[in-house]
Amino acid sequence: MNLWLVLAINSVTLGGLLFLLSAGFSLIFGLMRIPNLMHGSFFMLGAYMGSAFLKQGLGFWPAALASAIGMAVLGGLVERLLLRRLAGQELAQVLLTLGMSFIIADACLMIWTGDPIQPATPPDLRGAVTTAGLVFPIYRIAIVGVAVAMAVALWLLIDRTRIGAMIRAGVDDAPIARVVGIKVSQLFTLVFCLGAALAAFAGVVGSPYLSIYPGLDAEMLPLALIVVILGGAGSLLGALLGSFIIGFLYNFGQALFPDLAYVILFVPMVLVLVLRPQGLFGRAAL
Amino acid sequence: MKRRLPSMTAALVVVAAMATLPLWLANTYYINVASQILFWAIFALGLNVLVGYAGLTSLGHAALFAMSGYTAAIVVTAGGAHLLGAVAAIAMTVATAAVFAVLALRATGIGFLMITLALGQIVWGIAYRWAALTNGDNGINFKTRPQPFGIDLTSAPAFYYAVLLVFLTAVMTMAVFVRSPLGAAVRGTRDQPRRMTALGYNVWLVRFAAFLLSGFWTAVAGLLFLYYNQFISPQVAALQTSAEALLMVISGGTATILGPIAGAAIVVVMKTVVSAYVERWNMVLGIIFVLIISFMPDGLVPGISRLVRSMWPQRRSNVTGERAAKAASEARP
């Protein structure tokens, strides 16, 4: 009984983190038509930067915010200086993000060495609450709370604001959006910064729970990839649903079939590809 | 036929130089580097069938490469003969390639890349997590190299000759493939899939065949990798290996036979040299990747041959025509 509960809590927590990671990935993919293979690196570098800010004596949430802002700047630079040069050549852009991911991974290894870092849980969120005989660790619940708040904020941004309407137009049909006067190339930069910031934020928020170590990027990137293949590119709802499906599969798979946990993770992806190639909520096939 | 004479002579000189390499390069270390270049070149040639000729960029080929090595290592460690191990490895890898193809060929372009990447990660996950089968992170030690026809391959020159033989076979197969109707059909599906359909070709089947051919040579390369290192670990199946192989294809020049070979030589030499001085190979790999893609997207071999052609304009080959046809097809999506 207790095992199942722990698993369920872990699943929801991971789902929340994955949503923060993959929402940006999905928006970038939807708008720019490229899977950003740096996204795992943004997560890891964000987490490392957060740990560095924490060491400087910054509070946990200010550190997460600072890391997100730093990563937004970095993401913007990569988009403006490197990806922009290859506008229209999607394949070259993807390979460029792949090359950058190796550079970032090695730079992190150089700066923060190979030893894992586990930042302390923020003091007011330590411990657990007991309700009806069940124990809930507060920080895990806080992660879910943050993810839900972010999901609502993103939904408001995309669905209720002018910028959001422009992004949706760009996702649906970039050439026509250009024709009606939307500066799609500026949206690219904006969405890339936003995605990078969200990934870094997720990295900091997840670090007390996952800890930070070399290879974290390579572990998170495929998860974001499956979430987006599952949910459909450019769809926030798809990213949300996909994140929780993967969160549950990952934790339950690891507990029940530790040898094949990784394979189980990809089963829904294969099913979606065969039955509904555009993803659960996507409009166009990959 | 007369026009091809100089290139035939050049090819003969190169083959002669390669065949006598252990004689004039009497240093085990360098001979081993040469062996590595050759089996990585086989891998790159195999990957090039998809990336270059079929226009399908795979980021999951490390999985096939590792699948071959792992299968042979598991079979031989369990007491099977080397021959059985090799046959099982190639059969298993081609079968895996078929599964990959069925799933990944639902898409082209970026979708294909994402699906192969995800499939590659599955195999990496199995190699890493299924410790009962693969010995997990510790990898598998492969005690002895095989002795085909009783020939001992323990020494560096002997192994080099064996790899060279396989390599030359691979190059010849590729040359035949490129000129064959299948090769033309594969290039057709890359440039004009809709017209190929209209002409009555089954585009999916042509791409499937290309995937299997690519998987076959990747399997052969994976076997040689295992025989050379006598060790295999999940790192071989990681995304980094796929990226390295892709870099070999792209840096040399896609859709050429010489390109992936040159690319393999460049990447292996750089990796050996860089690793000898600093532990920063990943950084260097990433930087080369970014530089090549930003500044020399069509690779070194086409870049240099363009240079050569501009120096002797009368020696125009049909490559120019092919390029023009490609440019024209890109203008009309």
Side-chain angles (χ1 to χ4, degrees):
Chain A
M1 173 56 211
N2 215 353
L3 171 78
W4 297 111
L5 185 72
V6 169
L7 278 178
I9 293 175
N10 284 345
S11 306
V12 176
T13 312
L14 184 65
L17 272 182
L18 281 180
F19 172 73
L20 291 178
L21 178 72
S22 53
F25 187 87
S26 180
L27 284 179
I28 293 173
F29 192 46
L31 189 65
M32 301 173 69
R33 321 295 326 161
I34 58 164
N36 169 30
L37 300 185
M38 274 181 287
H39 223 70
S41 318
F42 286 165
F43 183 90
M44 182 172 78
L45 181 57
Y48 272 126
M49 290 201 313
S51 78
F53 286 129
L54 284 173
K55 231 181 200 169
Q56 299 297 316
L58 223 59
F60 187 81
W61 299 108
L65 202 64
S67 174
I69 293 170
M71 193 60 67
V73 172
L74 196 74
L77 286 176
V78 170
E79 205 281 324
R80 277 279 148 181
L81 300 180
L82 293 171
L83 292 176
R84 182 54 52 88
R85 293 168 42 92
L86 300 167
Q89 306 171 42
E90 277 93 359
L91 197 61
Q93 290 183 322
V94 179
L95 297 178
L96 190 113
T97 63
L98 179 66
M100 286 301 295
S101 77
F102 290 130
I103 297 177
I104 295 177
D106 211 43
C108 285
L109 188 63
M110 207 164 16
I111 300 171
W112 286 283
T113 73
D115 300 328
I117 301 176
Q118 185 156 24
T121 312
D124 5 332
L125 298 174
R126 277 179 203 151
V129 282
T130 314
T131 316
L134 303 174
V135 186
F136 295 97
I138 296 175
Y139 189 65
R140 304 273 164 93
I141 295 168
I143 292 181
V144 180
V146 169
V148 169
M150 278 291 173
V152 171
L154 274 176
W155 175 74
L156 285 175
L157 174 76
I158 298 292
D159 215 62
R160 288 282 182 270
T161 66
R162 191 177 156 74
I163 291 275
M166 282 153 70
I167 292 175
R168 273 181 290 135
V171 169
D172 278 352
D173 195 329
I176 294 293
R178 281 204 176 89
V179 167
V180 299
I182 296 171
K183 292 194 171 109
V184 176
S185 74
Q186 286 181 5
L187 287 183
F188 281 11
T189 313
L190 182 79
V191 166
F192 210 81
C193 291
L194 181 69
L198 278 172
F201 185 76
V204 182
V205 171
S207 59
Y209 158 64
L210 295 169
S211 81
I212 323 167
Y213 49 91
L216 181 64
D217 53 344
E219 213 156 296
M220 297 311 282
L221 174 69
L223 296 182
L225 205 70
I226 325 172
V227 166
V228 172
I229 293 181
L230 263 184
S235 159
L236 280 181
L237 188 61
L240 189 65
L241 191 67
S243 299
F244 284 105
I245 293 176
I246 294 304
F248 271 88
L249 276 178
Y250 189 83
N251 283 294
F252 279 85
Q254 248 175 1
L256 300 177
F257 313 97
D259 287 347
L260 293 174
Y262 221 74
V263 181
I264 292 169
L265 211 51
F266 288 84
V267 169
M269 182 197 86
V270 170
L271 283 179
V272 162
L273 282 174
V274 172
L275 300 174
R276 199 179 151 78
Q278 68 271 44
L280 296 175
F281 294 95
R283 296 222 175 83
L286 288 172
Chain B
M1 203 59 217
K2 204 189 244 176
R3 233 163 26 97
R4 272 172 53 197
L5 206 61
S7 51
M8 293 277 278
T9 324
L12 276 178
V13 169
V14 171
V15 170
M18 284 184 354
T20 52
L21 182 129
L23 302 176
W24 48 268
L25 202 69
N27 181 324
T28 313
Y29 179 75
Y30 293 117
I31 295 172
N32 277 335
V33 171
S35 301
Q36 287 184 59
I37 291 175
L38 291 182
F39 65 70
W40 280 105
I42 298 172
F43 185 8
L45 282 169
L47 181 58
N48 187 34
V49 172
L50 274 184
V51 176
Y53 296 112
L56 298 164
T57 307
S58 161
L59 272 180
H61 259 53
L64 300 175
F65 187 70
M67 172 73 77
S68 170
Y70 263 111
T71 310
I74 290 167
V75 168
V76 172
T77 309
H82 274 295
L83 183 66
L84 178 71
V87 171
I90 290 175
M92 186 73 188
T93 309
V94 173
T96 311
V99 175
F100 274 30
V102 167
L103 292 170
L105 283 177
R106 296 189 66 85
T108 55
I110 302 291
F112 183 86
L113 180 136
M114 282 175 78
I115 299 168
T116 49
L117 172 57
L119 291 170
Q121 290 303 114
I122 301 185
V123 174
W124 173 83
I126 295 175
Y128 185 58
R129 294 274 171 81
W130 197 349
L133 183 70
T134 64
N135 205 17
D137 213 11
N138 296 325
I140 302 178
N141 275 309
F142 191 73
K143 295 207 177 55
T144 52
R145 283 178 185 166
Q147 300 193 335
F149 313 110
I151 304 164
D152 187 12
L153 298 183
T154 320
S155 77
F159 188 73
Y160 171 79
Y161 279 121
V163 178
L164 181 64
L165 208 63
V166 182
F167 168 76
L168 291 176
T169 318
V171 172
M172 278 189 285
T173 326
M174 284 303 152
V176 170
F177 161 75
V178 171
R179 290 190 182 128
S180 71
L182 176 65
V186 168
R187 271 169 290 155
T189 60
R190 171 194 67 192
D191 296 334
Q192 293 287 356
R194 290 181 66 191
R195 282 186 201 173
M196 290 299 283
T197 313
L199 284 171
Y201 284 89
N202 184 338
V203 170
W204 189 90
L205 205 62
V206 171
R207 286 179 173 151
F208 186 74
F211 208 127
L212 290 191
L213 180 66
S214 175
F216 173 79
W217 283 112
T218 307
V220 172
L223 261 182
L224 294 173
F225 174 89
L226 174 74
Y227 295 155
Y228 173 79
N229 287 298
Q230 296 179 269
F231 174 69
I232 191 157
S233 70
Q235 183 57 35
V236 180
L239 175 60
Q240 196 201 352
T241 310
S242 289
E244 274 173 29
L246 193 59
L247 182 63
M248 290 172 190
V249 176
I250 295 175
S251 66
T254 57
T256 59
I257 291 179
L258 220 51
I261 302 171
I266 295 165
V267 172
V268 170
V269 167
M270 286 192 83
K271 187 173 184 173
T272 313
V273 171
V274 170
S275 306
Y277 294 104
V278 279
E279 274 183 55
R280 290 272 86 88
W281 168 239
N282 272 359
M283 176 78 79
V284 176
L285 175 71
I287 292 173
I288 308 173
F289 229 103
V290 171
L291 289 180
I292 293 245
I293 286 156
S294 298
F295 297 109
M296 208 185 254
D298 55 353
L300 295 172
V301 169
I304 289 168
S305 70
R306 201 171 49 219
L307 206 71
V308 169
R309 269 203 312 280
S310 66
M311 282 153 85
W312 291 287
Q314 73 274 19
R315 279 201 58 209
R316 251 172 228 289
S317 67
N318 60 352
V319 178
T320 331
E322 213 169 86
R323 190 176 299 275
K326 200 176 169 216
S329 76
E330 273 164 7
R332 282 192 308 270

